[in-house]
PDB file of all heavy atoms in Angstrom:
ATOM      1  N   PHE D 243     133.332-176.859 -91.219  1.00  0.00           N
ATOM      2  CA  PHE D 243     132.368-176.510 -90.174  1.00  0.00           C
ATOM      3  C   PHE D 243     131.451-175.391 -90.643  1.00  0.00           C
ATOM      4  O   PHE D 243     130.250-175.415 -90.389  1.00  0.00           O
ATOM      5  CB  PHE D 243     133.104-176.093 -88.899  1.00  0.00           C
ATOM      6  CG  PHE D 243     132.210-175.471 -87.873  1.00  0.00           C
ATOM      7  CD1 PHE D 243     131.253-176.226 -87.197  1.00  0.00           C
ATOM      8  CD2 PHE D 243     132.299-174.109 -87.580  1.00  0.00           C
ATOM      9  CE1 PHE D 243     130.414-175.644 -86.249  1.00  0.00           C
ATOM     10  CE2 PHE D 243     131.459-173.529 -86.649  1.00  0.00           C
ATOM     11  CZ  PHE D 243     130.522-174.298 -85.969  1.00  0.00           C
ATOM     12  N   TYR D 244     132.011-174.408 -91.345  1.00  0.00           N
ATOM     13  CA  TYR D 244     131.204-173.286 -91.846  1.00  0.00           C
ATOM     14  C   TYR D 244     130.241-173.765 -92.927  1.00  0.00           C
ATOM     15  O   TYR D 244     129.080-173.326 -92.977  1.00  0.00           O
ATOM     16  CB  TYR D 244     132.120-172.185 -92.379  1.00  0.00           C
ATOM     17  CG  TYR D 244     132.959-171.537 -91.310  1.00  0.00           C
ATOM     18  CD1 TYR D 244     134.236-172.009 -91.017  1.00  0.00           C
ATOM     19  CD2 TYR D 244     132.459-170.474 -90.560  1.00  0.00           C
ATOM     20  CE1 TYR D 244     134.998-171.428 -90.026  1.00  0.00           C
ATOM     21  CE2 TYR D 244     133.228-169.876 -89.564  1.00  0.00           C
ATOM     22  CZ  TYR D 244     134.491-170.361 -89.299  1.00  0.00           C
ATOM     23  OH  TYR D 244     135.242-169.790 -88.301  1.00  0.00           O
ATOM     24  N   LEU D 245     130.706-174.662 -93.786  1.00  0.00           N
ATOM     25  CA  LEU D 245     129.837-175.218 -94.813  1.00  0.00           C
ATOM     26  C   LEU D 245     128.718-176.045 -94.188  1.00  0.00           C
ATOM     27  O   LEU D 245     127.568-175.995 -94.628  1.00  0.00           O
ATOM     28  CB  LEU D 245     130.662-176.082 -95.780  1.00  0.00           C
ATOM     29  CG  LEU D 245     131.730-175.352 -96.596  1.00  0.00           C
ATOM     30  CD1 LEU D 245     132.548-176.336 -97.415  1.00  0.00           C
ATOM     31  CD2 LEU D 245     131.086-174.317 -97.526  1.00  0.00           C
ATOM     32  N   TYR D 246     129.075-176.797 -93.150  1.00  0.00           N
ATOM     33  CA  TYR D 246     128.075-177.598 -92.426  1.00  0.00           C
ATOM     34  C   TYR D 246     127.034-176.688 -91.775  1.00  0.00           C
ATOM     35  O   TYR D 246     125.833-176.946 -91.851  1.00  0.00           O
ATOM     36  CB  TYR D 246     128.764-178.468 -91.376  1.00  0.00           C
ATOM     37  CG  TYR D 246     127.798-179.171 -90.454  1.00  0.00           C
ATOM     38  CD1 TYR D 246     127.232-180.395 -90.813  1.00  0.00           C
ATOM     39  CD2 TYR D 246     127.445-178.602 -89.219  1.00  0.00           C
ATOM     40  CE1 TYR D 246     126.341-181.041 -89.956  1.00  0.00           C
ATOM     41  CE2 TYR D 246     126.555-179.248 -88.373  1.00  0.00           C
ATOM     42  CZ  TYR D 246     126.002-180.463 -88.747  1.00  0.00           C
ATOM     43  OH  TYR D 246     125.121-181.091 -87.913  1.00  0.00           O
ATOM     44  N   SER D 247     127.510-175.622 -91.103  1.00  0.00           N
ATOM     45  CA  SER D 247     126.600-174.698 -90.416  1.00  0.00           C
ATOM     46  C   SER D 247     125.619-174.067 -91.389  1.00  0.00           C
ATOM     47  O   SER D 247     124.454-173.845 -91.062  1.00  0.00           O
ATOM     48  CB  SER D 247     127.408-173.601 -89.710  1.00  0.00           C
ATOM     49  OG  SER D 247     128.268-174.153 -88.745  1.00  0.00           O
ATOM     50  N   LEU D 248     126.098-173.788 -92.601  1.00  0.00           N
ATOM     51  CA  LEU D 248     125.236-173.180 -93.618  1.00  0.00           C
ATOM     52  C   LEU D 248     124.246-174.196 -94.179  1.00  0.00           C
ATOM     53  O   LEU D 248     123.036-173.935 -94.274  1.00  0.00           O
ATOM     54  CB  LEU D 248     126.104-172.623 -94.746  1.00  0.00           C
ATOM     55  CG  LEU D 248     125.368-171.879 -95.859  1.00  0.00           C
ATOM     56  CD1 LEU D 248     124.753-170.586 -95.334  1.00  0.00           C
ATOM     57  CD2 LEU D 248     126.327-171.564 -97.009  1.00  0.00           C
ATOM     58  N   SER D 249     124.748-175.386 -94.535  1.00  0.00           N
ATOM     59  CA  SER D 249     123.903-176.376 -95.198  1.00  0.00           C
ATOM     60  C   SER D 249     122.895-177.028 -94.251  1.00  0.00           C
ATOM     61  O   SER D 249     121.903-177.599 -94.691  1.00  0.00           O
ATOM     62  CB  SER D 249     124.768-177.457 -95.858  1.00  0.00           C
ATOM     63  OG  SER D 249     125.511-178.170 -94.866  1.00  0.00           O
ATOM     64  N   LYS D 250     123.150-176.953 -92.950  1.00  0.00           N
ATOM     65  CA  LYS D 250     122.230-177.532 -91.961  1.00  0.00           C
ATOM     66  C   LYS D 250     121.524-176.437 -91.155  1.00  0.00           C
ATOM     67  O   LYS D 250     121.004-176.688 -90.068  1.00  0.00           O
ATOM     68  CB  LYS D 250     122.990-178.456 -90.995  1.00  0.00           C
ATOM     69  CG  LYS D 250     123.772-179.574 -91.660  1.00  0.00           C
ATOM     70  CD  LYS D 250     122.856-180.652 -92.200  1.00  0.00           C
ATOM     71  CE  LYS D 250     123.678-181.813 -92.758  1.00  0.00           C
ATOM     72  NZ  LYS D 250     122.841-182.887 -93.312  1.00  0.00           N
ATOM     73  N   SER D 251     121.509-175.240 -91.695  1.00  0.00           N
ATOM     74  CA  SER D 251     120.955-174.104 -90.950  1.00  0.00           C
ATOM     75  C   SER D 251     119.429-174.116 -90.974  1.00  0.00           C
ATOM     76  O   SER D 251     118.790-174.853 -91.714  1.00  0.00           O
ATOM     77  CB  SER D 251     121.487-172.788 -91.523  1.00  0.00           C
ATOM     78  OG  SER D 251     121.131-172.658 -92.895  1.00  0.00           O
ATOM     79  N   GLU D 252     118.872-173.245 -90.151  1.00  0.00           N
ATOM     80  CA  GLU D 252     117.425-173.202 -89.934  1.00  0.00           C
ATOM     81  C   GLU D 252     116.583-173.080 -91.200  1.00  0.00           C
ATOM     82  O   GLU D 252     115.542-173.735 -91.314  1.00  0.00           O
ATOM     83  CB  GLU D 252     117.111-172.040 -88.980  1.00  0.00           C
ATOM     84  CG  GLU D 252     115.662-171.943 -88.575  1.00  0.00           C
ATOM     85  CD  GLU D 252     115.441-170.821 -87.583  1.00  0.00           C
ATOM     86  OE1 GLU D 252     115.404-169.658 -88.004  1.00  0.00           O
ATOM     87  OE2 GLU D 252     115.316-171.122 -86.380  1.00  0.00           O
ATOM     88  N   PRO D 253     116.959-172.251 -92.185  1.00  0.00           N
ATOM     89  CA  PRO D 253     116.116-172.124 -93.386  1.00  0.00           C
ATOM     90  C   PRO D 253     115.830-173.443 -94.094  1.00  0.00           C
ATOM     91  O   PRO D 253     114.760-173.616 -94.680  1.00  0.00           O
ATOM     92  CB  PRO D 253     116.921-171.194 -94.292  1.00  0.00           C
ATOM     93  CG  PRO D 253     117.699-170.347 -93.337  1.00  0.00           C
ATOM     94  CD  PRO D 253     118.064-171.270 -92.210  1.00  0.00           C
ATOM     95  N   PHE D 254     116.749-174.404 -94.029  1.00  0.00           N
ATOM     96  CA  PHE D 254     116.545-175.677 -94.716  1.00  0.00           C
ATOM     97  C   PHE D 254     115.460-176.512 -94.036  1.00  0.00           C
ATOM     98  O   PHE D 254     114.834-177.352 -94.679  1.00  0.00           O
ATOM     99  CB  PHE D 254     117.859-176.463 -94.774  1.00  0.00           C
ATOM    100  CG  PHE D 254     118.840-175.901 -95.765  1.00  0.00           C
ATOM    101  CD1 PHE D 254     119.714-174.872 -95.396  1.00  0.00           C
ATOM    102  CD2 PHE D 254     118.870-176.360 -97.067  1.00  0.00           C
ATOM    103  CE1 PHE D 254     120.598-174.342 -96.313  1.00  0.00           C
ATOM    104  CE2 PHE D 254     119.759-175.841 -97.991  1.00  0.00           C
ATOM    105  CZ  PHE D 254     120.617-174.819 -97.611  1.00  0.00           C
ATOM    106  N   TYR D 255     115.246-176.274 -92.747  1.00  0.00           N
ATOM    107  CA  TYR D 255     114.172-176.974 -92.038  1.00  0.00           C
ATOM    108  C   TYR D 255     112.859-176.190 -92.124  1.00  0.00           C
ATOM    109  O   TYR D 255     111.781-176.777 -92.225  1.00  0.00           O
ATOM    110  CB  TYR D 255     114.565-177.200 -90.577  1.00  0.00           C
ATOM    111  CG  TYR D 255     115.774-178.072 -90.411  1.00  0.00           C
ATOM    112  CD1 TYR D 255     117.024-177.516 -90.117  1.00  0.00           C
ATOM    113  CD2 TYR D 255     115.700-179.451 -90.586  1.00  0.00           C
ATOM    114  CE1 TYR D 255     118.151-178.316 -89.983  1.00  0.00           C
ATOM    115  CE2 TYR D 255     116.821-180.258 -90.447  1.00  0.00           C
ATOM    116  CZ  TYR D 255     118.043-179.686 -90.144  1.00  0.00           C
ATOM    117  OH  TYR D 255     119.151-180.493 -90.022  1.00  0.00           O
ATOM    118  N   VAL D 256     112.978-174.860 -92.102  1.00  0.00           N
ATOM    119  CA  VAL D 256     111.775-174.016 -92.200  1.00  0.00           C
ATOM    120  C   VAL D 256     111.069-174.233 -93.538  1.00  0.00           C
ATOM    121  O   VAL D 256     109.840-174.370 -93.601  1.00  0.00           O
ATOM    122  CB  VAL D 256     112.151-172.531 -92.016  1.00  0.00           C
ATOM    123  CG1 VAL D 256     110.966-171.628 -92.375  1.00  0.00           C
ATOM    124  CG2 VAL D 256     112.584-172.261 -90.587  1.00  0.00           C
ATOM    125  N   GLN D 257     111.847-174.302 -94.613  1.00  0.00           N
ATOM    126  CA  GLN D 257     111.229-174.487 -95.928  1.00  0.00           C
ATOM    127  C   GLN D 257     110.792-175.937 -96.167  1.00  0.00           C
ATOM    128  O   GLN D 257     110.015-176.204 -97.097  1.00  0.00           O
ATOM    129  CB  GLN D 257     112.181-174.038 -97.041  1.00  0.00           C
ATOM    130  CG  GLN D 257     112.535-172.561 -96.993  1.00  0.00           C
ATOM    131  CD  GLN D 257     111.337-171.659 -96.790  1.00  0.00           C
ATOM    132  OE1 GLN D 257     110.241-171.910 -97.308  1.00  0.00           O
ATOM    133  NE2 GLN D 257     111.530-170.581 -96.019  1.00  0.00           N
ATOM    134  N   THR D 258     111.246-176.855 -95.325  1.00  0.00           N
ATOM    135  CA  THR D 258     110.723-178.223 -95.384  1.00  0.00           C
ATOM    136  C   THR D 258     109.233-178.215 -95.090  1.00  0.00           C
ATOM    137  O   THR D 258     108.461-178.981 -95.679  1.00  0.00           O
ATOM    138  CB  THR D 258     111.451-179.127 -94.369  1.00  0.00           C
ATOM    139  OG1 THR D 258     112.840-179.205 -94.710  1.00  0.00           O
ATOM    140  CG2 THR D 258     110.874-180.538 -94.368  1.00  0.00           C
ATOM    141  N   ILE D 259     108.814-177.356 -94.173  1.00  0.00           N
ATOM    142  CA  ILE D 259     107.398-177.251 -93.813  1.00  0.00           C
ATOM    143  C   ILE D 259     106.584-176.853 -95.036  1.00  0.00           C
ATOM    144  O   ILE D 259     105.574-177.487 -95.369  1.00  0.00           O
ATOM    145  CB  ILE D 259     107.201-176.220 -92.684  1.00  0.00           C
ATOM    146  CG1 ILE D 259     108.016-176.624 -91.451  1.00  0.00           C
ATOM    147  CG2 ILE D 259     105.721-176.086 -92.329  1.00  0.00           C
ATOM    148  CD1 ILE D 259     108.111-175.535 -90.394  1.00  0.00           C
ATOM    149  N   LEU D 260     107.029-175.814 -95.731  1.00  0.00           N
ATOM    150  CA  LEU D 260     106.322-175.356 -96.937  1.00  0.00           C
ATOM    151  C   LEU D 260     106.348-176.421 -98.021  1.00  0.00           C
ATOM    152  O   LEU D 260     105.325-176.701 -98.673  1.00  0.00           O
ATOM    153  CB  LEU D 260     106.971-174.068 -97.459  1.00  0.00           C
ATOM    154  CG  LEU D 260     106.412-173.479 -98.750  1.00  0.00           C
ATOM    155  CD1 LEU D 260     104.945-173.109 -98.593  1.00  0.00           C
ATOM    156  CD2 LEU D 260     107.229-172.252 -99.177  1.00  0.00           C
ATOM    157  N   ASN D 261     107.507-177.041 -98.205  1.00  0.00           N
ATOM    158  CA  ASN D 261     107.645-178.038 -99.263  1.00  0.00           C
ATOM    159  C   ASN D 261     106.759-179.258 -99.022  1.00  0.00           C
ATOM    160  O   ASN D 261     106.104-179.779 -99.934  1.00  0.00           O
ATOM    161  CB  ASN D 261     109.119-178.473 -99.357  1.00  0.00           C
ATOM    162  CG  ASN D 261     109.473-179.067-100.694  1.00  0.00           C
ATOM    163  OD1 ASN D 261     109.282-178.441-101.736  1.00  0.00           O
ATOM    164  ND2 ASN D 261     109.979-180.286-100.692  1.00  0.00           N
TER     165      ASN D 261
END
Side-chain angles (χ1 to χ4, degrees):
F243 169 69
Y244 295 92
L245 296 175
Y246 171 85
S247 299
L248 183 67
S249 63
K250 304 287 184 181
S251 59
E252 185 177 78
F254 286 87
Y255 297 103
V256 169
Q257 298 313 323
T258 297
I259 301 168
L260 177 61
N261 202 56

